Amino acid sequence: LRRAVAAACPGRAVAVAAGTIRADFTELHLSHSEALSALALGRELEGPACSFVRLHEESGVYRLLDQLPAGELQALVEDALGPLLTYDAGHDGSLVHSLTVYLRHDRNGVEAAEELHVHYNTLRYRLKQIERLTGAPDKDPMRRLQTELAVHAHRLLSARAH
């Protein structure tokens, strides 16, 4: 479907999203809601001008997080990333974005610095700031998991806002 639409509309980004197949027509609204969520998430993760296909059932941890009310997601984000968000807002900073990229590259600082277009030492400095502000979540497995989930919850909330 995406290829056919892309061929018919050259030069345009084509995004396709699908919810879970439902056996009962009365549950169509649930599939539609999942498709909208997958579309918003795809735009957030891939970029608004990118072509993609995203299935709700293949959305990994986002499928789990999407089941939570926005208030719970926001509480998770505040608990784990609150100091970073406050710092970023007050200093026109990018600590949350740097952390997101760093985690996406499986904590590989060289690759993350390349994607961020910063020197490796700049990334190291940002990571030290993150550690100072959040209390070194890498040293405690539960806090590390909470931080990673909070990063994904933050991205999901951003996707919902758009």
Side-chain angles (χ1 to χ4, degrees), residues 69-87:
E72 286 298 321
L73 290 174
Q74 192 60 48
L76 173 63
V77 170
E78 284 298 320
D79 288 348
L81 304 178
L84 303 180
L85 292 167
T86 301
Y87 180 89

Side-chain angles (χ1 to χ4, degrees), residues 22-130:
R22 305 291 176 160
D24 189 345
F25 182 75
T26 61
E27 295 180 341
L28 182 62
H29 68 285
L30 298 173
S31 182
H32 180 258
S33 177
E34 291 170 352
L36 290 176
S37 176
L39 180 63
L41 178 63
R43 286 184 177 145
E44 174 67 21
L45 298 178
E46 306 293 336
C50 291
S51 294
F52 61 87
V53 175
R54 180 163 293 276
L55 305 178
H56 177 74
E57 61 200 27
E58 296 175 355
S59 295
V61 72
Y62 292 102
R63 195 171 83 216
L64 172 66
L65 293 173
D66 195 39
Q67 300 300 310
L68 298 174
E72 286 298 321
L73 290 174
Q74 192 60 48
L76 173 63
V77 170
E78 284 298 320
D79 288 348
L81 304 178
L84 303 180
L85 292 167
T86 301
Y87 180 89
D88 282 353
H91 297 87
D92 196 28
S94 59
L95 295 181
V96 173
H97 178 64
S98 296
L99 177 61
T100 301
V101 172
Y102 179 67
L103 293 175
R104 185 170 54 243
H105 285 281
D106 199 24
R107 293 179 166 76
N108 183 318
V110 173
E111 289 178 9
E114 283 179 17
E115 181 178 328
L116 291 166
H117 304 290
V118 299
H119 192 275
Y120 175 74
N121 288 338
T122 301
L123 178 62
R124 286 184 54 214
Y125 175 75
R126 289 179 187 174
L127 293 172
K128 291 230 180 272
Q129 283 183 299
I130 291 167

